[in-house]
PDB file of all heavy atoms in Angstrom:
ATOM      1  N   GLN A   5     -40.371 -16.401 -31.240  1.00 92.00           N
ATOM      2  CA  GLN A   5     -41.495 -16.467 -32.196  1.00 92.00           C
ATOM      3  C   GLN A   5     -42.716 -17.138 -31.565  1.00 92.00           C
ATOM      4  O   GLN A   5     -43.823 -16.617 -31.652  1.00 92.00           O
ATOM      5  CB  GLN A   5     -41.076 -17.219 -33.451  1.00 92.00           C
ATOM      6  CG  GLN A   5     -42.195 -17.291 -34.501  1.00 92.00           C
ATOM      7  CD  GLN A   5     -41.821 -18.113 -35.716  1.00 92.00           C
ATOM      8  OE1 GLN A   5     -40.731 -18.686 -35.775  1.00 92.00           O
ATOM      9  NE2 GLN A   5     -42.716 -18.185 -36.682  1.00 92.00           N
ATOM     10  N   GLY A   6     -42.510 -18.292 -30.926  1.00 91.00           N
ATOM     11  CA  GLY A   6     -43.623 -19.009 -30.333  1.00 91.00           C
ATOM     12  C   GLY A   6     -44.288 -18.229 -29.203  1.00 91.00           C
ATOM     13  O   GLY A   6     -45.501 -18.342 -29.007  1.00 91.00           O
ATOM     14  N   LEU A   7     -43.510 -17.433 -28.456  1.00 91.00           N
ATOM     15  CA  LEU A   7     -44.071 -16.661 -27.353  1.00 91.00           C
ATOM     16  C   LEU A   7     -44.867 -15.457 -27.860  1.00 91.00           C
ATOM     17  O   LEU A   7     -45.959 -15.169 -27.356  1.00 91.00           O
ATOM     18  CB  LEU A   7     -42.930 -16.178 -26.445  1.00 91.00           C
ATOM     19  CG  LEU A   7     -43.333 -15.230 -25.309  1.00 91.00           C
ATOM     20  CD1 LEU A   7     -44.177 -15.959 -24.271  1.00 91.00           C
ATOM     21  CD2 LEU A   7     -42.095 -14.617 -24.640  1.00 91.00           C
ATOM     22  N   CYS A   8     -44.319 -14.763 -28.856  1.00 90.00           N
ATOM     23  CA  CYS A   8     -44.878 -13.469 -29.270  1.00 90.00           C
ATOM     24  C   CYS A   8     -45.815 -13.504 -30.452  1.00 90.00           C
ATOM     25  O   CYS A   8     -46.689 -12.646 -30.584  1.00 90.00           O
ATOM     26  CB  CYS A   8     -43.735 -12.484 -29.545  1.00 90.00           C
ATOM     27  SG  CYS A   8     -42.633 -12.202 -28.142  1.00 90.00           S
ATOM     28  N   GLU A   9     -45.639 -14.474 -31.340  1.00 89.00           N
ATOM     29  CA  GLU A   9     -46.425 -14.463 -32.581  1.00 89.00           C
ATOM     30  C   GLU A   9     -47.933 -14.547 -32.343  1.00 89.00           C
ATOM     31  O   GLU A   9     -48.700 -13.867 -33.039  1.00 89.00           O
ATOM     32  CB  GLU A   9     -45.962 -15.594 -33.501  1.00 89.00           C
ATOM     33  CG  GLU A   9     -46.440 -15.427 -34.937  1.00 89.00           C
ATOM     34  CD  GLU A   9     -45.698 -16.386 -35.877  1.00 89.00           C
ATOM     35  OE1 GLU A   9     -45.923 -17.594 -35.757  1.00 89.00           O
ATOM     36  OE2 GLU A   9     -44.907 -15.924 -36.702  1.00 89.00           O
ATOM     37  N   PRO A  10     -48.416 -15.342 -31.371  1.00 88.00           N
ATOM     38  CA  PRO A  10     -49.864 -15.356 -31.135  1.00 88.00           C
ATOM     39  C   PRO A  10     -50.404 -13.999 -30.692  1.00 88.00           C
ATOM     40  O   PRO A  10     -51.608 -13.741 -30.826  1.00 88.00           O
ATOM     41  CB  PRO A  10     -50.024 -16.402 -30.038  1.00 88.00           C
ATOM     42  CG  PRO A  10     -48.839 -17.282 -30.158  1.00 88.00           C
ATOM     43  CD  PRO A  10     -47.729 -16.367 -30.572  1.00 88.00           C
ATOM     44  N   ILE A  11     -49.540 -13.132 -30.165  1.00 86.00           N
ATOM     45  CA  ILE A  11     -49.972 -11.829 -29.703  1.00 86.00           C
ATOM     46  C   ILE A  11     -49.934 -10.791 -30.835  1.00 86.00           C
ATOM     47  O   ILE A  11     -50.904 -10.084 -31.075  1.00 86.00           O
ATOM     48  CB  ILE A  11     -49.067 -11.352 -28.526  1.00 86.00           C
ATOM     49  CG1 ILE A  11     -49.141 -12.367 -27.383  1.00 86.00           C
ATOM     50  CG2 ILE A  11     -49.505  -9.963 -28.044  1.00 86.00           C
ATOM     51  CD1 ILE A  11     -48.164 -12.102 -26.274  1.00 86.00           C
ATOM     52  N   VAL A  12     -48.824 -10.726 -31.559  1.00 84.00           N
ATOM     53  CA  VAL A  12     -48.695  -9.714 -32.611  1.00 84.00           C
ATOM     54  C   VAL A  12     -49.407 -10.139 -33.892  1.00 84.00           C
ATOM     55  O   VAL A  12     -49.790  -9.318 -34.712  1.00 84.00           O
ATOM     56  CB  VAL A  12     -47.217  -9.406 -32.901  1.00 84.00           C
ATOM     57  CG1 VAL A  12     -46.537  -8.833 -31.669  1.00 84.00           C
ATOM     58  CG2 VAL A  12     -46.449 -10.648 -33.363  1.00 84.00           C
ATOM     59  N   GLN A  13     -49.517 -11.464 -34.118  1.00 83.00           N
ATOM     60  CA  GLN A  13     -50.233 -12.033 -35.263  1.00 83.00           C
ATOM     61  C   GLN A  13     -49.698 -11.521 -36.602  1.00 83.00           C
ATOM     62  O   GLN A  13     -50.442 -11.236 -37.522  1.00 83.00           O
ATOM     63  CB  GLN A  13     -51.731 -11.747 -35.139  1.00 83.00           C
ATOM     64  CG  GLN A  13     -52.358 -12.432 -33.930  1.00 83.00           C
ATOM     65  CD  GLN A  13     -53.863 -12.320 -33.887  1.00 83.00           C
ATOM     66  OE1 GLN A  13     -54.447 -11.443 -34.486  1.00 83.00           O
ATOM     67  NE2 GLN A  13     -54.495 -13.225 -33.172  1.00 83.00           N
ATOM     68  N   ASP A  14     -48.378 -11.401 -36.649  1.00 82.00           N
ATOM     69  CA  ASP A  14     -47.704 -11.134 -37.933  1.00 82.00           C
ATOM     70  C   ASP A  14     -46.303 -11.722 -37.830  1.00 82.00           C
ATOM     71  O   ASP A  14     -45.963 -12.348 -36.832  1.00 82.00           O
ATOM     72  CB  ASP A  14     -47.688  -9.641 -38.272  1.00 82.00           C
ATOM     73  CG  ASP A  14     -46.964  -8.783 -37.225  1.00 82.00           C
ATOM     74  OD1 ASP A  14     -45.997  -9.286 -36.596  1.00 82.00           O
ATOM     75  OD2 ASP A  14     -47.346  -7.626 -37.026  1.00 82.00           O
ATOM     76  N   ARG A  15     -45.488 -11.522 -38.837  1.00 84.00           N
ATOM     77  CA  ARG A  15     -44.184 -12.181 -38.849  1.00 84.00           C
ATOM     78  C   ARG A  15     -43.090 -11.364 -38.164  1.00 84.00           C
ATOM     79  O   ARG A  15     -41.898 -11.708 -38.228  1.00 84.00           O
ATOM     80  CB  ARG A  15     -43.754 -12.525 -40.266  1.00 84.00           C
ATOM     81  CG  ARG A  15     -43.534 -11.377 -41.225  1.00 84.00           C
ATOM     82  CD  ARG A  15     -42.829 -11.881 -42.477  1.00 84.00           C
ATOM     83  NE  ARG A  15     -41.460 -12.258 -42.208  1.00 84.00           N
ATOM     84  CZ  ARG A  15     -40.765 -13.116 -42.970  1.00 84.00           C
ATOM     85  NH1 ARG A  15     -41.329 -13.694 -43.994  1.00 84.00           N
ATOM     86  NH2 ARG A  15     -39.507 -13.408 -42.673  1.00 84.00           N
ATOM     87  N   SER A  16     -43.472 -10.260 -37.479  1.00 85.00           N
ATOM     88  CA  SER A  16     -42.444  -9.458 -36.828  1.00 85.00           C
ATOM     89  C   SER A  16     -41.720 -10.243 -35.729  1.00 85.00           C
ATOM     90  O   SER A  16     -40.538 -10.025 -35.493  1.00 85.00           O
ATOM     91  CB  SER A  16     -43.062  -8.181 -36.225  1.00 85.00           C
ATOM     92  OG  SER A  16     -44.080  -8.498 -35.296  1.00 85.00           O
ATOM     93  N   ALA A  17     -42.436 -11.149 -35.064  1.00 87.00           N
ATOM     94  CA  ALA A  17     -41.784 -11.961 -34.027  1.00 87.00           C
ATOM     95  C   ALA A  17     -40.763 -12.910 -34.658  1.00 87.00           C
ATOM     96  O   ALA A  17     -39.669 -13.120 -34.104  1.00 87.00           O
ATOM     97  CB  ALA A  17     -42.833 -12.747 -33.238  1.00 87.00           C
ATOM     98  N   PHE A  18     -41.106 -13.493 -35.799  1.00 89.00           N
ATOM     99  CA  PHE A  18     -40.164 -14.358 -36.507  1.00 89.00           C
ATOM    100  C   PHE A  18     -38.925 -13.561 -36.920  1.00 89.00           C
ATOM    101  O   PHE A  18     -37.781 -14.005 -36.749  1.00 89.00           O
ATOM    102  CB  PHE A  18     -40.792 -14.980 -37.723  1.00 89.00           C
ATOM    103  CG  PHE A  18     -39.827 -15.665 -38.655  1.00 89.00           C
ATOM    104  CD1 PHE A  18     -39.340 -16.926 -38.355  1.00 89.00           C
ATOM    105  CD2 PHE A  18     -39.382 -15.034 -39.821  1.00 89.00           C
ATOM    106  CE1 PHE A  18     -38.421 -17.552 -39.197  1.00 89.00           C
ATOM    107  CE2 PHE A  18     -38.475 -15.645 -40.661  1.00 89.00           C
ATOM    108  CZ  PHE A  18     -37.986 -16.917 -40.348  1.00 89.00           C
ATOM    109  N   ASP A  19     -39.152 -12.385 -37.482  1.00 88.00           N
ATOM    110  CA  ASP A  19     -38.012 -11.558 -37.922  1.00 88.00           C
ATOM    111  C   ASP A  19     -37.098 -11.215 -36.743  1.00 88.00           C
ATOM    112  O   ASP A  19     -35.861 -11.264 -36.858  1.00 88.00           O
ATOM    113  CB  ASP A  19     -38.527 -10.266 -38.577  1.00 88.00           C
ATOM    114  CG  ASP A  19     -39.255 -10.539 -39.887  1.00 88.00           C
ATOM    115  OD1 ASP A  19     -38.957 -11.573 -40.532  1.00 88.00           O
ATOM    116  OD2 ASP A  19     -40.110  -9.730 -40.266  1.00 88.00           O
ATOM    117  N   ALA A  20     -37.694 -10.848 -35.599  1.00 86.00           N
ATOM    118  CA  ALA A  20     -36.908 -10.493 -34.433  1.00 86.00           C
ATOM    119  C   ALA A  20     -36.099 -11.686 -33.903  1.00 86.00           C
ATOM    120  O   ALA A  20     -34.966 -11.528 -33.450  1.00 86.00           O
ATOM    121  CB  ALA A  20     -37.817  -9.941 -33.319  1.00 86.00           C
ATOM    122  N   SER A  21     -36.658 -12.883 -34.017  1.00 89.00           N
ATOM    123  CA  SER A  21     -35.992 -14.056 -33.466  1.00 89.00           C
ATOM    124  C   SER A  21     -34.731 -14.444 -34.225  1.00 89.00           C
ATOM    125  O   SER A  21     -33.921 -15.239 -33.739  1.00 89.00           O
ATOM    126  CB  SER A  21     -36.958 -15.253 -33.454  1.00 89.00           C
ATOM    127  OG  SER A  21     -37.208 -15.719 -34.778  1.00 89.00           O
ATOM    128  N   GLN A  22     -34.523 -13.866 -35.394  1.00 92.00           N
ATOM    129  CA  GLN A  22     -33.332 -14.209 -36.187  1.00 92.00           C
ATOM    130  C   GLN A  22     -32.063 -13.584 -35.656  1.00 92.00           C
ATOM    131  O   GLN A  22     -30.958 -13.973 -36.060  1.00 92.00           O
ATOM    132  CB  GLN A  22     -33.552 -13.785 -37.659  1.00 92.00           C
ATOM    133  CG  GLN A  22     -34.791 -14.391 -38.295  1.00 92.00           C
ATOM    134  CD  GLN A  22     -34.852 -15.894 -38.147  1.00 92.00           C
ATOM    135  OE1 GLN A  22     -34.006 -16.609 -38.682  1.00 92.00           O
ATOM    136  NE2 GLN A  22     -35.846 -16.400 -37.407  1.00 92.00           N
ATOM    137  N   ASP A  23     -32.185 -12.603 -34.764  1.00 91.00           N
ATOM    138  CA  ASP A  23     -31.022 -11.940 -34.189  1.00 91.00           C
ATOM    139  C   ASP A  23     -31.268 -11.794 -32.692  1.00 91.00           C
ATOM    140  O   ASP A  23     -32.278 -11.221 -32.283  1.00 91.00           O
ATOM    141  CB  ASP A  23     -30.828 -10.564 -34.838  1.00 91.00           C
ATOM    142  CG  ASP A  23     -29.674  -9.790 -34.216  1.00 91.00           C
ATOM    143  OD1 ASP A  23     -28.523  -9.989 -34.633  1.00 91.00           O
ATOM    144  OD2 ASP A  23     -29.943  -9.002 -33.287  1.00 91.00           O
ATOM    145  N   PRO A  24     -30.375 -12.290 -31.831  1.00 93.00           N
ATOM    146  CA  PRO A  24     -30.676 -12.292 -30.381  1.00 93.00           C
ATOM    147  C   PRO A  24     -30.778 -10.890 -29.787  1.00 93.00           C
ATOM    148  O   PRO A  24     -31.556 -10.673 -28.855  1.00 93.00           O
ATOM    149  CB  PRO A  24     -29.483 -13.072 -29.791  1.00 93.00           C
ATOM    150  CG  PRO A  24     -28.406 -12.998 -30.827  1.00 93.00           C
ATOM    151  CD  PRO A  24     -29.093 -12.962 -32.145  1.00 93.00           C
ATOM    152  N   GLU A  25     -30.010  -9.943 -30.321  1.00 91.00           N
ATOM    153  CA  GLU A  25     -30.122  -8.576 -29.794  1.00 91.00           C
ATOM    154  C   GLU A  25     -31.482  -7.982 -30.104  1.00 91.00           C
ATOM    155  O   GLU A  25     -32.131  -7.371 -29.236  1.00 91.00           O
ATOM    156  CB  GLU A  25     -29.006  -7.706 -30.391  1.00 91.00           C
ATOM    157  CG  GLU A  25     -28.998  -6.284 -29.850  1.00 91.00           C
ATOM    158  CD  GLU A  25     -27.858  -5.444 -30.414  1.00 91.00           C
ATOM    159  OE1 GLU A  25     -26.983  -6.024 -31.094  1.00 91.00           O
ATOM    160  OE2 GLU A  25     -27.838  -4.235 -30.172  1.00 91.00           O
ATOM    161  N   ARG A  26     -31.935  -8.174 -31.337  1.00 91.00           N
ATOM    162  CA  ARG A  26     -33.275  -7.708 -31.705  1.00 91.00           C
ATOM    163  C   ARG A  26     -34.332  -8.444 -30.919  1.00 91.00           C
ATOM    164  O   ARG A  26     -35.341  -7.874 -30.499  1.00 91.00           O
ATOM    165  CB  ARG A  26     -33.518  -7.908 -33.184  1.00 91.00           C
ATOM    166  CG  ARG A  26     -32.751  -6.976 -34.092  1.00 91.00           C
ATOM    167  CD  ARG A  26     -32.838  -7.448 -35.543  1.00 91.00           C
ATOM    168  NE  ARG A  26     -34.220  -7.644 -35.976  1.00 91.00           N
ATOM    169  CZ  ARG A  26     -34.563  -8.395 -37.011  1.00 91.00           C
ATOM    170  NH1 ARG A  26     -33.625  -9.034 -37.705  1.00 91.00           N
ATOM    171  NH2 ARG A  26     -35.813  -8.507 -37.355  1.00 91.00           N
ATOM    172  N   ALA A  27     -34.132  -9.743 -30.708  1.00 93.00           N
ATOM    173  CA  ALA A  27     -35.102 -10.551 -29.981  1.00 93.00           C
ATOM    174  C   ALA A  27     -35.284 -10.033 -28.559  1.00 93.00           C
ATOM    175  O   ALA A  27     -36.413  -9.939 -28.066  1.00 93.00           O
ATOM    176  CB  ALA A  27     -34.670 -12.011 -29.972  1.00 93.00           C
ATOM    177  N   ALA A  28     -34.184  -9.710 -27.878  1.00 93.00           N
ATOM    178  CA  ALA A  28     -34.276  -9.201 -26.524  1.00 93.00           C
ATOM    179  C   ALA A  28     -35.066  -7.889 -26.460  1.00 93.00           C
ATOM    180  O   ALA A  28     -35.948  -7.724 -25.610  1.00 93.00           O
ATOM    181  CB  ALA A  28     -32.869  -9.013 -25.941  1.00 93.00           C
ATOM    182  N   GLY A  29     -34.749  -6.978 -27.374  1.00 90.00           N
ATOM    183  CA  GLY A  29     -35.473  -5.711 -27.400  1.00 90.00           C
ATOM    184  C   GLY A  29     -36.934  -5.899 -27.754  1.00 90.00           C
ATOM    185  O   GLY A  29     -37.815  -5.225 -27.209  1.00 90.00           O
ATOM    186  N   PHE A  30     -37.232  -6.821 -28.651  1.00 91.00           N
ATOM    187  CA  PHE A  30     -38.612  -7.070 -29.091  1.00 91.00           C
ATOM    188  C   PHE A  30     -39.464  -7.539 -27.910  1.00 91.00           C
ATOM    189  O   PHE A  30     -40.566  -7.043 -27.664  1.00 91.00           O
ATOM    190  CB  PHE A  30     -38.603  -8.106 -30.210  1.00 91.00           C
ATOM    191  CG  PHE A  30     -39.936  -8.323 -30.863  1.00 91.00           C
ATOM    192  CD1 PHE A  30     -40.327  -7.551 -31.947  1.00 91.00           C
ATOM    193  CD2 PHE A  30     -40.804  -9.306 -30.407  1.00 91.00           C
ATOM    194  CE1 PHE A  30     -41.551  -7.738 -32.559  1.00 91.00           C
ATOM    195  CE2 PHE A  30     -42.032  -9.520 -31.022  1.00 91.00           C
ATOM    196  CZ  PHE A  30     -42.411  -8.723 -32.094  1.00 91.00           C
ATOM    197  N   VAL A  31     -38.953  -8.527 -27.165  1.00 93.00           N
ATOM    198  CA  VAL A  31     -39.718  -9.066 -26.038  1.00 93.00           C
ATOM    199  C   VAL A  31     -39.832  -8.030 -24.940  1.00 93.00           C
ATOM    200  O   VAL A  31     -40.907  -7.879 -24.313  1.00 93.00           O
ATOM    201  CB  VAL A  31     -39.055 -10.347 -25.504  1.00 93.00           C
ATOM    202  CG1 VAL A  31     -39.785 -10.866 -24.267  1.00 93.00           C
ATOM    203  CG2 VAL A  31     -39.013 -11.411 -26.576  1.00 93.00           C
TER     204      VAL A  31
END
């Protein structure tokens, strides 16, 4: 969330961070 949220500027980074598999794909 801290890495990506300033770039996407929405809560999608927070949502992705709740699951490590989703987080890896998101980044």
Side-chain angles (χ1 to χ4, degrees):
Q5 181 184 3
L7 175 68
C8 301
E9 196 167 68
I11 301 172
V12 298
Q13 296 187 339
D14 60 32
R15 63 168 290 157
S16 59
F18 169 78
D19 293 334
S21 71
Q22 303 307 296
D23 177 86
E25 183 177 352
R26 288 168 54 200
F30 187 89
V31 177

